Amino acid sequence: MTDAPLKTRREGGILEVVLDRPKANAIDLETSRRMGEVFREFRDDPELRVAIVTGGGEKFFCAGWDLKGAADGDAVDGDYGVGGFGGLQEMRAMNKPVIAAVNGICCGGGFELALSADIILAADHVRFAFPEIRSGTVADAGTVKLPKRIPYHVAMEILLTGRWFEVDEAKHWGIVNEIIPADQLMDRAWEVARLLESGPPLVYAAIKEIVREAEDTKFQDMMNRITKRQLDSVDILYESEDQKEGARAFAEKRDPVWKGR
């Protein structure tokens, strides 16, 4: 389906979302709001299990905030819509796996969008940066996230200098999961998506909620919340048909059939 500037494709339980705003796939307020609607629909559709987000064309994944839109009147603190900038990084209760297939330049808010995914696959020519300092602003979500993902001093150098770095360095620091030849990127993204699609959606939901809630919680406090079933996803999982099916399949030495209930 095409809903400029987004293109979506649905196959089984997988949703592919392509940000297609030539030349740089930059995101203005209107685009951000539409992306939020798309990711909310993905989150709330029980038939969808995995999303892939990528950029149109070959040069850019996403250049981030649309400075031309800002010059035309878009406020940097304007209404980005549900899910915040790019529709993903502040989407509440996003308990399904999201794969970023980074096909080109990934900087600023585009880098923040990629960091909002659970798995990042990158083409072999990709470059990354948070260059916001050069336009007199701050990469707000990037400044929150990057020091939690990679060593503090490395993150601070990247943020304070705004320098560009290659995909090999991103892989070295664990920012990306895999480096893939550009012409094979989407095939690999769909391969990973199909693997996740075949997995237990209720378990994925529990994993994502636990990871999210544990970020600012002491270990024992988090363990207590899990064992006392104080997380919605865990409570649903422990009462589900899928958990019983998993145990039966293990005992019967067969592959489980997940129903998401």
Side-chain angles (χ1 to χ4, degrees):
M1 180 179 71
T2 300
D3 184 4
L6 300 180
K7 297 176 181 177
T8 61
R9 176 161 71 102
R10 179 171 178 159
E11 183 180 301
I14 302 170
L15 178 69
E16 181 184 84
V17 181
V18 181
L19 174 60
D20 192 17
R21 292 192 77 223
K23 300 179 180 178
N25 295 331
I27 298 173
D28 61 3
L29 290 179
E30 181 180 355
T31 301
S32 181
R33 290 192 287 265
R34 180 60 190 133
M35 292 175 75
E37 292 168 3
V38 168
F39 286 119
R40 178 171 58 188
E41 291 165 6
F42 163 70
R43 180 196 67 185
D44 295 343
D45 188 333
E47 300 301 317
L48 288 173
R49 297 190 175 186
V50 186
I52 302 169
V53 59
T54 192
E58 299 177 354
K59 187 174 181 180
F60 285 91
F61 171 71
C62 175
W65 174 238
D66 187 346
L67 293 178
K68 182 178 178 181
D72 291 339
D74 277 1
V76 69
D77 58 350
D79 178 13
Y80 293 111
V82 61
F85 182 81
L88 186 60
Q89 60 189 12
E90 296 178 61
M91 181 64 69
R92 296 177 64 85
M94 177 56 86
N95 288 340
K96 298 178 180 180
V98 178
I99 301 165
V102 181
N103 59 303
I105 290 172
C106 182
C107 62
F111 194 178
E112 292 174 338
L113 177 63
L115 288 174
S116 300
D118 302 295
I119 294 173
I120 302 178
L121 309 176
D124 50 11
H125 65 281
V126 167
R127 302 176 74 216
F128 297 86
F130 278 121
E132 276 79 354
I133 62 165
R134 294 170 187 160
S135 57
T137 189
V138 62
D140 46 12
T143 303
V144 173
K145 291 181 178 182
L146 196 64
K148 295 182 178 181
R149 308 290 180 82
I150 66 176
Y152 171 84
H153 297 100
V154 178
M156 291 303 291
E157 183 231 346
I158 288 170
L159 292 165
L160 293 171
T161 65
R163 72 173 176 87
W164 290 86
F165 58 100
E166 307 295 329
V167 69
D168 288 344
E169 183 177 352
K171 179 68 163 60
H172 173 77
W173 297 121
I175 293 172
V176 304
N177 296 84
E178 297 180 33
I179 301 172
I180 301 161
D183 61 351
Q184 300 173 28
L185 176 65
M186 293 312 298
D187 287 343
R188 178 57 179 156
W190 275 85
E191 182 181 12
V192 175
R194 291 186 182 102
L195 173 65
L196 296 177
E197 180 192 22
S198 69
L202 297 183
V203 176
Y204 292 160
I207 290 170
K208 289 205 63 173
E209 186 174 14
I210 289 169
V211 169
R212 189 170 58 246
E213 292 295 316
E215 189 170 22
D216 298 311
T217 306
K218 292 181 180 179
F219 173 78
Q220 195 57 57
D221 291 341
M222 196 67 223
M223 291 300 297
N224 291 341
R225 289 184 65 189
I226 295 169
T227 56
K228 293 177 181 178
R229 291 167 58 163
Q230 294 176 346
L231 300 176
D232 290 342
S233 62
V234 173
D235 190 46
I236 291 169
L237 173 65
Y238 286 176
E239 293 292 333
S240 69
E241 293 180 30
D242 275 3
Q243 187 171 65
K244 296 181 179 66
E245 165 64 7
R248 284 195 300 267
F250 180 82
E252 296 168 8
K253 298 182 180 179
R254 60 174 175 81
D255 292 333
V257 178
W258 306 117
K259 298 180 179 179
R261 60 176 187 265

